[in-house]
Amino acid sequence: MADLFGGLDPAPASDAHAADGPLADRLRPRRLDAIVGQDHLTGPEGAIGRMVAAGRLSSIILWGPPGTGKTTTARLLADAVGLRFVAISAVFSGVADLKKVFAEAREHARIGTRTLLFVDEIHRFNRSQQDGFLPFVEDGTVTLVGATTENPSFELNAALLSRAQVLILRRLDHGALGQLLDRAEALEGRPLPLTPDARDALVASADGDGRFLLNQAETLFSVTFDAPLDPTALGAFLQRRVAVYDKDREGHYNLISALHKSMRGSDPQAALYYLARMLVAGEEPLYVLRRITRFASEDIGLADPQALAQCLAAKDAYEFLGSPEGELAIVQACLYCATAPKSNAAYRAMKAAWRAAKDTGSLMPPQNILNAPTKLMKDIGYGKGYAYDHDAEGGFSGANYWPEEMTPQSFYEPTDRGVEKRIAERMAWWDERRRTDRG
C-alpha cells in the first residue's frame, strides 16, 4: 500500500528498519505540525488542528493528489488523539478483510480502545462495499479516515459522505517541495549534486508529489558526479514525472472546463495551454475537438458563423492527416474560437424555444401556412391566404406564422457583436415592417 505524504519530520527516525529504508520513509514526519504544505488543515485554525485540540476526531475523507500527505496524516491523527491505528487498502482488501477489521475493532472497544480505520484509495470499493461501513461508523466501532485521489462527490456514496467530513489536501507548491529537499539534504549531510537551476527543475518535475520528489533525490544521492548537474544533464539522468490525468476522472473534467472557459473569456494563450495539457497527457484529440465544436455553437453562434465551419474543417483535417500533424488543425480551431466575437444568443434561444414547445403542447400552426395536398384540405382552408414572401416587396410579407392560441414569442435576441450586429439590424427592420403592416 502506497504511503503518500506531504511533509517530513526534520529529525530522522531512530529505529534500524527506518535507517535502512527508503529516504522518504526515513524522513517520515512524526508530528502533525511537521507536515508541509497542509497548514490550512493541520494549523491551529484548521479542521484537523481543531479536532486534535478538542481531543475528538470525527470520520473524515482526505481528498488530494498523490504525494500530499493522506496516509501520514491519518497515522499522526491516530497518535494525536490516542486511537488504535489500522490501515487497509481498497486495492487489496475485500469483504472478508473488512469483517475481520470490524470484529477486532469491536473487541478492542470492549476494553476501552477505540480504532481509527484508515482506508487507502477508498473510492475503489464499490457502492455496496461502501454501504458496509455505515453501521460501524454510526455506532462508533471505528472512526473512518478514507483517502482518495478522486472527487468524493463522484466516487463515494452519498450516505457515506453524509457521515464524514471531506478535507482537501493541496498539491504541494514549490516552497513545500523545497522544504522536503532541505530536510533530505540535512539527513544525508550533503547537498544534492545540482546547480540552483537544476534544483528548481527537479522540484518542478515532481508535479506537486512529495514522495516522487524524495525518490528522485534518493537516486541522485546514490550516484557520484564529477560536477553538479545543470538542468539539461538532470533531464538526461532522470525522467520527468508524467502528469496526473485520468481520461474518465476529475482531472479530465477540470481541464476541459478550463479550456472551455478560457475560450469563452477570449484568452487564446490560456486556451492553448489547457489544450496542450490535455493532448500531452494523452487525451483523445477528437474528444477535445468535439468540445471545441460545441463551444463554437454555444458561445459564438451567429456572432461568427465561420467558427463552426473552422471546427468541422479541423475535424476533416485531423482525420486526413492523423496525429501529430493533424493536431495543428485542432490548435487552429481553438485559437479561432478563443479570438472570435462571443454570443450565447443561439444557445439561450434554443433553451427558451424548447421550454415553449413543452409548455404549449400540440398547438396547430395557422392554416394559411399549412400545405394542402388534397382537395379536402383545400376545402377546409389549408393554405388559404398564404403570402409567398418572394413575391412581396423586399421579399418580406410580414405574415403571422404563430398558432392562433399563442402570442408571438421572442427567443433569439442577437447581440451587437460580430455578424450578429447586422442580424439584429435586419430583425429590427422586419419587426418594424410587421408593426407598420398590421398597424
Side-chain angles (χ1 to χ4, degrees):
M1 177 177 66
D3 185 9
L4 307 175
F5 53 89
L8 304 169
D9 195 329
S14 59
D15 60 277
H17 177 75
D20 294 334
L23 176 64
D25 289 338
R26 286 184 283 136
L27 283 173
R28 190 191 310 278
R30 289 184 283 169
R31 305 186 313 273
L32 282 168
D33 60 7
I35 295 176
V36 299
Q38 310 302 340
D39 292 346
H40 64 293
L41 296 179
T42 59
E45 300 303 315
I48 289 175
R50 289 177 179 274
M51 289 182 193
V52 171
R56 296 181 61 84
L57 182 64
S58 62
S59 290
I60 59 178
I61 302 297
L62 299 174
W63 172 29
T68 51
K70 297 184 288 294
T71 302
T72 294
T73 297
R75 287 183 181 276
L76 297 179
L77 268 174
D79 292 341
V81 296
L83 299 184
R84 169 177 169 262
F85 181 80
V86 176
I88 63 171
S89 169
V91 176
F92 302 111
S93 304
V95 174
D97 300 296
L98 291 174
K99 288 181 177 179
K100 180 180 178 181
V101 167
F102 294 139
E104 291 177 351
R106 279 194 164 148
E107 289 300 317
H108 280 275
R110 289 192 180 99
I111 59 175
T113 302
R114 296 178 58 213
T115 298
L116 184 153
L117 173 60
F118 174 69
V119 183
D120 197 15
E121 301 199 66
I122 191 171
H123 61 277
R124 294 185 181 270
F125 277 132
N126 62 38
R127 300 285 172 169
S128 60
Q129 288 172 319
Q130 291 177 27
D131 284 339
F133 286 97
L134 300 179
F136 302 98
V137 171
E138 287 179 340
D139 67 11
T141 300
V142 297
T143 298
L144 175 66
V145 177
T148 178
T149 57
E150 304 300 333
N151 190 326
S153 301
F154 301 148
E155 304 296 334
L156 300 184
N157 283 358
L160 187 59
L161 282 177
S162 70
R163 292 162 175 80
Q165 184 177 356
V166 176
L167 303 181
I168 302 173
L169 283 80
R170 295 171 179 167
R171 178 181 180 276
L172 298 188
D173 61 17
H174 191 282
L177 292 170
Q179 288 183 52
L180 296 188
L181 291 186
D182 291 342
R183 294 178 181 182
E185 291 172 327
L187 177 61
E188 292 290 329
R190 56 195 170 106
L192 284 162
L194 302 174
T195 65
D197 287 345
R199 198 177 195 273
D200 288 341
L202 178 64
V203 168
S205 75
D207 196 25
D209 186 331
R211 174 173 284 279
F212 178 87
L213 179 69
L214 291 175
N215 288 344
Q216 296 287 64
E218 186 167 30
T219 300
L220 289 167
F221 280 131
S222 69
V223 179
T224 301
F225 298 97
D226 294 333
L229 303 180
D230 62 15
T232 301
L234 176 66
F237 182 71
L238 294 176
Q239 291 186 343
R240 183 178 177 86
R241 183 176 188 271
V242 176
V244 177
Y245 184 82
D246 293 316
K247 294 182 186 178
D248 61 344
R249 303 290 183 176
E250 193 199 10
H252 161 89
Y253 297 107
N254 285 346
L255 289 183
I256 200 63
S257 175
L259 172 62
H260 194 120
K261 291 179 174 64
S262 298
M263 290 191 297
R264 180 182 289 157
S266 299
D267 189 334
Q269 316 299 351
L272 188 56
Y273 168 72
Y274 290 117
L275 174 66
R277 281 276 302 273
M278 298 187 81
L279 295 183
V280 167
E283 181 57 78
E284 171 59 45
L286 285 177
Y287 166 77
V288 182
L289 185 54
R290 282 195 295 272
R291 303 315 305 162
I292 296 174
T293 303
R294 162 69 183 196
F295 176 91
S297 291
E298 178 180 341
D299 287 275
I300 298 174
L302 292 175
D304 187 347
Q306 277 299 311
L308 185 57
Q310 284 278 334
C311 292
L312 295 177
K315 169 185 170 292
D316 290 341
Y318 179 80
E319 290 179 339
F320 182 58
L321 295 173
S323 184
E325 289 86 354
E327 290 173 8
L328 182 56
I330 300 177
V331 168
Q332 179 177 329
C334 173
L335 292 175
Y336 191 99
C337 288
T339 56
K342 306 300 188 296
S343 170
N344 69 343
Y347 178 55
R348 288 186 287 108
M350 173 185 168
K351 294 198 295 184
W354 260 238
R355 283 195 301 270
K358 291 176 182 177
D359 292 343
T360 55
S362 54
L363 296 180
M364 282 289 290
Q367 284 192 337
N368 64 301
I369 64 171
L370 299 180
N371 287 334
T374 69
K375 183 177 182 301
L376 173 62
M377 296 170 77
K378 290 180 181 178
D379 291 343
I380 62 176
Y382 278 34
K384 184 178 181 180
Y386 172 62
Y388 188 57
D389 286 83
H390 293 292
D391 291 340
E393 180 183 354
F396 178 76
S397 69
N400 176 51
Y401 299 97
W402 292 89
E404 292 181 5
E405 302 92 333
M406 186 177 179
T407 59
Q409 305 291 304
S410 181
F411 302 129
Y412 176 51
E413 299 288 347
T415 68
D416 61 354
R417 298 183 290 277
V419 175
E420 278 196 326
K421 183 175 183 179
R422 296 199 299 273
I423 294 174
E425 292 169 354
R426 195 178 307 142
M427 291 176 63
W429 184 81
W430 287 331
D431 288 342
E432 181 60 28
R433 282 285 304 275
R434 289 189 184 96
R435 284 192 293 269
T436 302
D437 293 347
R438 296 172 190 171

